[in-house]
Amino acid sequence: MAAQPNRRAVIKNIVAGTASLGAVGALGAFAPAENLVNDAALKNNINHSVCRWCYNDISLDQLCAAAKSIGIKGIDLVGPQEWPTLKKYGLDSPMCNGAEINLTDGFNDPKFHATLLKNYSAMIPLVAKAGYRNLICFSGSRRGLDDATGITNCVQGLQPLMALAEKHNVVLVMELLNSKVNHPDYQCDHTAWGVALAKKLGSEHFKLLYDIYHMQIDEGDVIRTLTDNHAYIAHYHTGGVPGRNEIDDTQELYYPAIMRAIKATGFKGYVAQEFIPKQPDKLASLRKAVQLCDI
């Protein structure tokens, strides 16, 4: 979708060490943080987070203040440069990034292994030192690889990092992305492939990021799939289908039922909102989404 390159650009900037802390946003699209109603009295059955890249129109400080008022506990997809801002607001970083090359050059291609080993070896201790746990990673594009070869290559690239991840109590979390709409040729595009990789690695320090939006597009059967494979899932992302917009009644998924299914698995991690708001008051859309998921 047209909005997806924004995330690619953010990741590229973070890896390059040039990501800013966020520009001051258009006031017409975002309510000032001091005017937000405090909705922090949530049920605490779900740990709520929000993805930074979806709100790049406002500063990270504004997003953190809004998150606190809504009852959100963390901000996803930020790197070391931005962690001090999260700490200032008492917010977690439930899914860290900054070690990946990009979404297409990943662990399934041996020519990237040396760079990835260097990047992740440096980042894992930083994540642990900051008091965080999850660090995102990507399979990369197939480029003609069959499923079995892609898994073999990922094991080869990831295995040398498992001891370091275990030492620092960090989990490398590979995101499931759709290859039908947003990420053509991405290899980790079905839950079964990601689970097969996790089983080959055989480590509690490698798990999956189950992106509900992406997996609805590529495989559907969301509740059955996450229920059957919850042992391999460390984190969830939301998004309305089609379009990755609000998760309200304009789209095809019913998120309260999905959240109840996640809770029923005993999941104690985070669910992060990762939709692109279409409504003029984007923070109101975020608040509504959190309340919808707060089962």
Side-chain angles (χ1 to χ4, degrees):
M1 302 301 292
Q4 189 62 21
N6 292 337
R7 179 174 174 185
R8 290 196 184 102
V10 169
I11 290 174
K12 182 177 179 181
N13 286 341
I14 290 172
V15 174
T18 60
S20 71
L21 293 181
V24 175
L27 295 179
F30 296 93
E34 61 269 20
N35 293 337
L36 293 170
V37 176
N38 193 325
D39 296 325
L42 299 176
K43 298 173 184 175
N44 293 317
N45 292 319
I46 300 292
N47 293 315
H48 299 282
S49 185
V50 58
C51 291
R52 169 69 180 118
W53 74 275
C54 300
Y55 299 87
N56 279 333
D57 292 353
I58 61 173
S59 71
L60 184 57
D61 277 282
Q62 287 175 292
L63 181 60
C64 288
K68 289 289 286 187
S69 77
I70 293 168
I72 291 170
K73 297 179 180 179
I75 309 290
D76 269 34
L77 302 178
V78 298
Q81 293 172 320
E82 297 177 316
W83 293 341
T85 303
L86 271 59
K87 289 181 179 295
K88 181 171 69 174
Y89 289 89
L91 292 170
D92 196 0
S93 180
M95 185 56 61
C96 303
N97 70 353
E100 67 280 357
I101 299 171
N102 51 49
L103 303 184
T104 59
D105 302 333
F107 281 98
N108 68 348
D109 192 330
K111 73 181 179 182
F112 302 120
H113 285 178
T115 299
L116 290 167
L117 180 62
K118 178 182 177 181
N119 290 357
Y120 280 86
S121 294
M123 187 65 73
I124 288 170
L126 294 180
V127 171
K129 185 177 180 181
Y132 304 136
R133 180 166 172 82
N134 294 328
L135 178 59
I136 201 167
C137 66
F138 300 95
S139 69
S141 297
R142 287 177 179 271
R143 298 185 175 95
L145 292 176
D146 61 78
D147 282 346
T149 302
I151 288 173
T152 297
N153 290 347
C154 282
V155 170
Q156 178 186 346
L158 285 161
Q159 192 66 63
L161 293 166
M162 290 297 98
L164 183 64
E166 181 176 1
K167 175 183 176 181
H168 291 283
N169 198 28
V170 168
V171 180
L172 299 187
V173 186
M174 183 171 286
E175 185 165 13
L176 293 153
L177 302 173
N178 84 74
S179 58
K180 180 179 179 181
V181 177
N182 300 105
H183 303 283
D185 206 41
Y186 186 74
Q187 187 147 41
C188 188
D189 63 347
H190 282 75
T191 306
W193 191 94
V195 169
L197 172 57
K199 288 180 177 179
K200 285 282 188 180
L201 283 166
S203 172
E204 286 298 307
H205 295 274
F206 176 85
K207 289 188 180 291
L208 302 174
L209 194 171
Y210 187 90
D211 190 302
I212 299 163
Y213 162 80
H214 286 297
M215 290 302 94
Q216 170 66 4
I217 290 172
D218 261 14
E219 64 186 20
D221 201 16
V222 167
I223 290 176
R224 187 197 314 269
T225 302
L226 70 85
T227 300
D228 290 348
N229 298 286
H230 69 89
Y232 302 99
I233 298 171
H235 199 76
Y236 291 90
H237 280 170
T238 74
V241 181
R244 198 201 278 278
N245 302 123
E246 277 80 356
I247 61 171
D248 54 21
D249 59 5
T250 64
Q251 54 95 51
E252 67 192 34
L253 291 167
Y254 185 61
Y255 269 92
I258 295 172
M259 294 301 117
R260 286 193 290 270
I262 291 172
K263 178 179 179 291
T265 68
F267 182 69
K268 301 301 182 183
Y270 279 83
V271 175
Q273 300 296 332
E274 194 183 24
F275 65 91
I276 308 298
K278 292 178 69 175
Q279 299 303 315
D281 188 341
K282 298 181 180 182
L283 292 177
S285 287
L286 175 59
R287 183 184 299 108
K288 181 178 180 182
V290 169
Q291 291 172 343
L292 186 72
C293 289
D294 193 54
I295 47 85

